[in-house]
Amino acid sequence: MSKLYEPISVGSLEMGNRFVRSATAESLSDGEGRPLLELSKTYCALAEGGVGLIITGHAYVAGSGRCRVGMSGMHDESLISPWQNVTAAVHEAGGKIAMQINHGGRQCDPAAVGGPLLAPSPISLNADAPRPVELNERDIVGLIRAFADAAGRVREAGFDAVQIHGAHGYLINTFNSPASNWRRDAWGGSLSRRLRFLEEVAAAVRDVVGTDYPVLIKLGAVDFVRNGLTENDGVEIIRHLADMGFDAVEISGGIGQGSTRAGILRSDQEGYFLPIARKARYATDLPIILVGGLRSRERMEQILDEGSADMVSLCRPLIREPDLPNRMRDGQERATCISCNQCRPREGELGISCHYRGPDTSGESD
Ligand SMILES: Cc1cc2nc3c(=O)[nH]c(=O)nc-3n(C[C@H](O)[C@H](O)[C@H](O)COP(=O)(O)O)c2cc1C
């Protein structure tokens, strides 16, 4: 039997197969971060489509970390009940679901935050972006608390696991990276000091959710920017994740949309963080989830068989084909996604969708 369809456990989380739906900001929540009915339907379609674990789009842990209107939230007790309805529906549909929690930091839309953007150092994302405010000690401690409280709500709302977003240029990634963390106090400087924020978030989350609850991380293991995190830094961070209390690591990288490479059409373009996963395998015993351009069944099987990852994670292909795991089980060789990156919400619209109307390329050979 293909390893893709073998069950696996991550702590107390039991998955029926190795397919993960990577966190995908669906832009289907209301102005308060509450899930719209359409979002619940999206998750149920994924569950029915056979994916082993659904990871929600990132949910903000505090209003200061809301990336944009339409983003999901877990910043307040009032969110528990609406999310309980979602997890119940997904479980009813036979699925497993984790929530990804995040603080957008300097990448938030100022209109969605309604205040200053926050970051470890007052360094703008780029020349056109607003200058963020440097966090003081008290606010840092408050944000660690916000992650922990949000994780507690995730558990209470019936999610099967929580994933901390430590990638793509958001707050945790900006602490980890020397390109965005220029602090000279206990929260910056050497790699171990830059990791302190993540370490304290992990400890506070564990304290709230307890030892038996699966806590995952999506890690930005490489930044692809000048003076940013290198592959070697990423592997070094991964080496410490088990001690921080994580149960699994999803390996990603890039700042903003740098995680989402366009035009993946050949198998040698697939799995663009695979070189890091191969090194990480020797640095950690944690289960490894690999994301980034995975499209063909053959490539995914090869990665699982060689042991570089334990699970494969997909985002864009599952926007186009939510039932891809079932389709592949029934013989489809390749996702029909062409990685055109047109699936993000369009100006003034809610929701994501695939706009590609070209020929079905699933039968094409590489
Ligand atoms: C529309 C869209 C929304 C995304 N939202 C998130 C998110 O909320 N959290 C996250 O960690 N990554 C997010 N990503 C990145 C994906 O999870 C994934 O890492 C990336 O797209 C590469 O995987 P793929 O080639 O299978 O699409 C998003 C990507 C897209 C296209």
Side-chain angles (χ1 to χ4, degrees), residues 22-25 56-58 100 165 168 218 252 259-260 272 291-295 313-317 319 343-345 352:
S22 200
T24 305
T56 66
H58 57 175
Q100 185 186 64
H165 199 340
H168 307 168
K218 187 164 182 177
S252 189
S259 64
T260 312
Y272 40 80
V291 70
L294 297 166
R295 300 292 179 266
S313 194
L314 291 84
C315 164
R316 290 166 289 174
I319 297 173
C343 39
R344 289 184 188 272
I352 51 174

Side-chain angles (χ1 to χ4, degrees), residues 313-333:
S313 194
L314 291 84
C315 164
R316 290 166 289 174
L318 293 173
I319 297 173
R320 183 170 171 83
E321 298 169 285
D323 57 345
L324 188 62
N326 284 349
R327 286 178 180 221
M328 285 191 161
R329 187 199 54 207
D330 297 341
Q332 183 170 322
E333 289 296 331

Side-chain angles (χ1 to χ4, degrees), residues 192-211:
S192 69
R193 287 156 81 119
R194 282 183 273 118
L195 288 183
R196 182 173 164 205
F197 183 70
L198 172 62
E199 223 165 61
E200 296 214 5
V201 165
V205 163
R206 181 57 74 197
D207 215 36
V208 169
V209 300
T211 49

Side-chain angles (χ1 to χ4, degrees), residues 147-160:
F147 270 99
D149 291 345
R153 290 178 203 120
V154 169
R155 181 173 185 154
E156 219 177 314
F159 285 95
D160 300 288

Side-chain angles (χ1 to χ4, degrees), residues 168-235:
H168 307 168
Y170 296 111
L171 187 67
I172 290 177
N173 193 167
T174 56
F175 267 96
N176 291 349
S177 173
S180 44
N181 182 348
W182 292 5
R183 299 179 75 98
R184 289 160 169 267
D185 61 4
W187 305 92
S190 62
L191 179 63
S192 69
R193 287 156 81 119
R194 282 183 273 118
L195 288 183
R196 182 173 164 205
F197 183 70
L198 172 62
E199 223 165 61
E200 296 214 5
V201 165
V205 163
R206 181 57 74 197
D207 215 36
V208 169
V209 300
T211 49
D212 60 333
Y213 193 68
V215 181
L216 285 49
I217 179 166
K218 187 164 182 177
L219 183 76
V222 57
D223 286 336
F224 303 129
V225 299
R226 202 153 57 92
N227 302 324
L229 289 170
T230 63
E231 259 186 47
N232 286 344
D233 294 327
V235 175

